[in-house]
């Protein structure tokens, strides 16, 4: 989290004493603003004179030169009017959350969330009764953090009612208004706080925010599994997820979210290897590998985490295979042992476990001999070069030899697999068939006794 943030050059507006609600600067033209789909949506929404602004993540990320994920747009027009304007322009409009004022415009693969300016007049847990407004500052005030309350007109003019620009530059993640109250209104904001801190913050974290999170962490159990999943995944994607999890632990928040997390050192080293320590094609942050890194090697616990985070069947299987594997790669492992493990778990699993085992080793703090790093890299190279091999005999060969179909076939094949493995997967089909015949003959001889 100690990284420098390079901000986009914003042309400031002088003079100093601007009337409230004036723009504070201008963002240079952005590709995503000039893209045909964005221009078409903006043109549709402004066709009859309405003012629209980009809001939320796209403005924040453009200022940091980070890639834009989705584009949120705000307007004074009601959702019905937004829908009509889009349809008039031939743009597909989906009523995603009419009660909260959200319509999604779809052009090809591009999605735009268009939200009517609003204030949350009454909140109950995660739900709010909303009232539409024509005041941009009122809309900004219901947003969670100052860096998320920035907005920008299609001509690049930036509006910053809560000093989000300065906070963004300084790595300060601050609630708009009173942290305690904002979390009371919506406990999801507690997780969003740590998530945004993980991606945009620099230490020290905001004292008021931390105190409010600590005081209300027990309410996290009220969040749905889907919400937990989404937030934990985004949190784990951060450059240094271990640092943030430790911060959450220090403030008694983690016990309400991921009490099973314990190997922070391994997670930290793994994230370092993924992000900076190793430069390999295809290697980057991997959420499930990171989750496995921070859990203890306890299959039941890992299965519990998978259930709580609503992981899919495939995700659960992968998490379990990484968190509690029957066998781990080792820097001292000889070629043959490596091949055997590669054959059993495949190249992807082998790569994951090599990274996890290496991270574990580095995290223990023992001094590692200089050559050991190279041995771990050799294991990764071996996984990259691995081509899957298949047993050169099949069930059909056993049927041809007169063994009736049924469980006996599987037993023979398992024996063959072991023999093949002992021979380091070198046997040709002819050699394998010869051995199979011997096994069958031995079996028959045994049967006759
Ligand atoms: P990203 O999409 O990159 O995760 P984002 O800031 O766009 O980040 P969204 O969840 O898409 O986040 O929400 C868009 C905007 O809506 C936010 O920037 C924030 O202003 C506001 N917002 C979203 N969720 C909340 C919330 N729970 N409480 C208050 N404001 C929120
Ligand atoms: Mg967004």
């Amino acid at each position: 989290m100690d990284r420098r943030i390079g901000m986009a050059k914003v042309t400031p507006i002088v003079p100093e004493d601007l009337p409230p609600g004036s723009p504070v600067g201008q963002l240079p033209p952005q590709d995503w603003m000039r893209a045909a789909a964005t221009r078409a949506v903006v043109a549709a929404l402004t066709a009859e004179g309405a003012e629209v602004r980009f809001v939320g993540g796209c403005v924040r990320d453009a200022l940091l030169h980070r890639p834009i994920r989705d584009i949120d747009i705000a307007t004074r027009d009601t959702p019905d009017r937004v829908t009509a304007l889009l349809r008039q322009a031939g743009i597909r409009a989906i009523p995603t959350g009419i009660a909260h004022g959200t319509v999604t415009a779809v052009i090809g693969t591009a999605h735009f969330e268009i939200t009517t300016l609003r204030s949350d007049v009454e909140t109950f847990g995660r739900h709010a009764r909303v009232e539409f407004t024509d005041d941009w500052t009122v809309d900004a005030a219901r947003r969670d953090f100052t860096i998320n309350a920035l907005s920008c007109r299609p001509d690049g003019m930036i509006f910053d009612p809560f000093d989000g620009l300065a906070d963004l530059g300084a790595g300060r993640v601050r609630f708009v208004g009173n942290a305690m109250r904002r979390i009371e209104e919506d406990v999801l904001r507690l997780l969003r706080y740590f998530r945004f801190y993980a991606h945009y913050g620099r230490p020290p974290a905001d004292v008021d925010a931390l105190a409010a999170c600590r005081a209300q962490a027990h309410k996290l159990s009220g969040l749905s599994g889907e919400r937990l999943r989404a937030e934990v995944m985004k949190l784990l994607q951060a450059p240094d997820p271990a640092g943030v999890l430790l911060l959450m632990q220090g403030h008694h928040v983690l016990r309400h979210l991921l009490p099973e997390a314990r190997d922070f050192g391994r997670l930290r080293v793994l994230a370092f290897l993924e992000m900076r320590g190793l430069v390999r094609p295809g290697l980057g942050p991997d959420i499930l590998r990171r989750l496995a890194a921070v859990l203890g090697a306890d299959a039941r616990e890992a299965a519990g985490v998978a259930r709580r985070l609503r992981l899919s069947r495939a995700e659960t299987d992968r998490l379990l295979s990484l968190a509690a594997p029957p066998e781990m790669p080792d820097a001292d492992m000889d070629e043959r042992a490596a091949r055997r493990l590669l054959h059993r778990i495949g190249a992807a699993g082998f790569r994951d476990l090599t990274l996890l085992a290496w991270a574990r080793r580095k995290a223990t703090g023992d001094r590692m001999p200089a050559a050991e790093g190279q041995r771990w890299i050799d294991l990764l190279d071996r996984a990259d070069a691995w081509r899957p091999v298949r047993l050169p005999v099949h069930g059909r060969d056993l049927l041809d030899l007169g063994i009736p179909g049924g469980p006996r076939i599987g037993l023979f094949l398992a024996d063959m697999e072991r023999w093949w493995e002992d021979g380091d997967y070198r046997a040709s089909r002819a050699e394998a068939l010869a051995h199979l015949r011997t096994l069958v003959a031995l079996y028959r001889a045994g049967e006759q006794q």
Side-chain angles (χ1 to χ4, degrees):
M1 264 172 307
D2 203 9
R3 62 198 181 281
R4 292 255 74 92
I5 295 186
M7 294 262 288
K9 214 171 163 48
V10 171
T11 316
I13 291 181
V14 276
E16 294 283 300
D17 295 328
L18 296 166
S22 312
V24 297
Q26 188 170 19
L27 192 64
Q30 305 286 312
D31 288 348
W32 58 271
M33 285 189 195
R34 287 185 294 192
T38 314
R39 293 225 308 257
V41 170
V42 168
L45 296 175
T46 54
E48 291 174 19
E51 181 189 354
V52 299
R53 292 188 194 166
F54 298 108
V55 285
C58 57
V59 182
R60 181 193 67 221
D61 291 339
L63 284 161
L64 295 179
H65 302 292
R66 295 199 193 173
I68 304 301
R69 261 176 304 191
D70 48 29
I71 302 181
D72 299 309
I73 298 176
T75 174
R76 291 190 176 101
D77 282 335
T78 61
D80 287 345
R81 183 125 183 79
V82 167
T83 307
L85 287 167
L86 289 171
R87 294 203 171 138
Q88 259 172 48
I91 297 171
R92 205 167 137 221
I94 304 173
T96 359
I98 290 287
H100 289 87
T102 309
V103 174
T104 303
V106 184
I107 299 182
T109 54
H111 284 64
F112 302 81
E113 295 253 297
I114 300 152
T115 308
T116 306
L117 298 192
R118 67 176 219 225
S119 62
D120 299 337
V121 284
E122 202 183 340
T123 52
F124 3 86
R126 281 244 58 229
H127 303 284
R129 193 162 65 77
V130 312
E131 212 160 69
F132 296 138
T133 168
D134 58 7
D135 186 334
W136 291 94
T137 308
V138 168
D139 183 75
R142 59 117 184 143
R143 297 180 181 272
D144 44 12
F145 308 113
T146 59
I147 58 171
N148 286 352
L150 286 154
S151 62
C152 146
R153 259 183 356 215
D155 62 1
M157 287 299 179
I158 300 171
F159 300 84
D160 179 19
F162 300 106
D163 271 340
L165 216 48
D167 287 345
L168 197 58
R172 280 190 300 262
V173 181
R174 270 195 310 131
F175 279 92
V176 173
N178 179 285
M180 198 69 177
R181 199 160 328 120
R182 298 311 307 278
I183 297 176
E184 267 162 30
E185 290 165 1
D186 177 3
V187 70
L188 182 67
R189 290 176 189 150
L190 193 160
L191 288 187
R192 285 176 63 91
Y193 174 74
F194 287 103
R195 192 238 294 182
F196 282 99
Y197 182 71
H199 287 273
Y200 300 91
R202 285 206 294 279
D206 185 72
V207 175
D208 292 341
L210 288 177
C213 290
R214 182 181 186 138
Q216 299 187 63
H218 62 278
K219 298 182 187 168
L220 286 177
S221 58
L223 285 174
S224 74
E226 284 68 25
R227 289 284 173 188
L228 285 181
R229 174 200 164 92
E231 286 302 324
V232 170
M233 298 276 174
K234 287 179 180 169
L235 189 73
L236 283 173
Q237 193 115 41
D240 175 22
V244 181
L245 291 182
L246 278 167
L247 183 70
M248 295 172 87
Q249 191 190 45
H251 289 270
H252 305 293
V253 172
L254 198 60
R255 64 173 70 161
H256 299 284
L257 180 71
L258 201 59
E260 301 85 351
R262 51 173 75 101
D263 207 343
F264 304 97
R266 176 159 80 153
L267 175 59
R268 171 162 279 154
V269 177
L270 173 73
F272 167 77
L273 289 174
E274 286 176 343
M275 311 283 293
R276 282 180 289 155
L278 269 176
V279 181
R280 298 180 72 87
L283 180 68
D286 183 298
I287 293 164
L288 289 178
R289 189 163 61 210
R290 288 177 169 199
L291 185 56
V294 83
L295 298 178
D298 180 327
R300 282 207 14 222
E301 253 182 28
V305 171
R307 263 195 307 280
R308 227 171 44 246
L309 296 182
R310 303 280 193 278
L311 298 192
S312 70
R313 186 60 198 272
E315 289 167 335
T316 302
D317 289 348
R318 176 154 181 250
L319 180 69
L320 291 179
S321 73
L322 299 185
E327 192 185 346
M328 283 294 256
D330 189 297
D332 296 329
M333 159 179 253
D334 63 27
E335 258 184 62
R336 194 170 160 146
R339 266 201 296 277
R340 185 168 298 200
L341 190 54
L342 271 163
H343 176 61
R344 287 188 184 158
I345 64 176
F350 187 93
R351 232 177 270 134
D352 284 335
L353 289 184
T354 300
L355 290 167
L356 286 166
W358 186 6
R360 176 85 287 258
R361 174 93 172 94
K362 272 171 94 85
T364 53
D366 302 343
R367 273 188 70 83
M368 230 162 68
E372 189 178 321
Q374 188 53 48
R375 289 210 295 280
W376 290 108
I377 292 175
D378 290 345
L379 287 179
L380 293 173
D381 289 343
R382 195 160 289 155
D384 290 349
W386 171 254
R387 294 289 164 266
V389 287
R390 291 185 59 190
L391 184 65
V393 291
H394 320 279
R396 206 174 340 101
D397 298 317
L398 283 154
L399 296 176
D400 290 348
L401 289 171
I403 301 292
R408 175 73 36 211
I409 302 262
L411 295 176
F412 272 112
L413 288 179
D415 268 359
M416 281 302 293
E417 186 73 51
R418 268 192 296 278
W419 169 84
W420 191 49
E421 195 168 272
D422 288 344
D424 214 10
Y425 317 110
R426 292 219 177 86
S428 66
R429 171 152 169 87
E431 287 161 341
L433 267 179
H435 185 69
L436 187 62
R437 277 194 206 98
T438 314
L439 287 184
V440 170
L442 282 172
Y443 168 70
R444 292 234 165 86
E447 239 180 359
Q448 272 159 22
Q449 274 171 12

